Amino acid sequence: MTTDSRDELLAEAVGLRTRGEAEQARERLVALADRHPHDAEVAYQTAWTHDALGLEAEAVAYYERALAGTDLSDEDRLGALVGLGSTFRILGRYEESVGTLRGGLAEFPGDGALLTFLAMALFNTGQHDEAMRILLELLATTSEDPRVRTYRRAIGHYAKDLREIVARQS
């Protein structure tokens, strides 16, 4: 199989998924992944398509294969990290989710999607304070809502410790 045919088949499968024909895309991508077992981009697109179909358990191996490769663009690597972390979470594999998402943040510091999914996974592991801190800091720094922006400084301050109580003055 030539590189052109691989590229054409991959583009065609991604196009099918984009047009809402995810099952047809999945069939083609699985076959393409079988022919190119070390192709990180093919593995990533295959994982994404499985996720789009609600086949999270099947997506994991493809995400892991994609992340083990070295030929993903930064954008696709970020997408694979978010995808795998989110998939682990929805499968109840919370510690793996936290680990994957924290690893993603080491590579892509401050990414809002990684932070959001990390907060969800932390919630699932009972780490509610850290989950709330992450979400409040993200809200304070990224919201364009005028009312949130008015209170940005206060929200950022309270995010550090929601349990803080100021002593009553008499």
Side-chain angles (χ1 to χ4, degrees), residues 128-168:
H128 304 131
D129 290 354
E130 186 177 359
M132 281 298 296
R133 180 190 55 75
I134 288 169
L135 288 178
L136 287 172
E137 287 175 354
L138 187 61
L139 178 69
T141 59
T142 64
S143 179
E144 294 304 319
D145 181 288
R147 297 287 295 154
V148 171
R149 289 175 64 120
T150 298
Y151 296 100
R152 182 174 282 171
R153 197 169 127 225
I155 294 168
H157 172 78
Y158 296 135
K160 291 174 182 56
D161 184 5
L162 280 174
R163 299 182 193 284
E164 176 186 13
I165 298 173
V166 174
R168 244 173 95 170

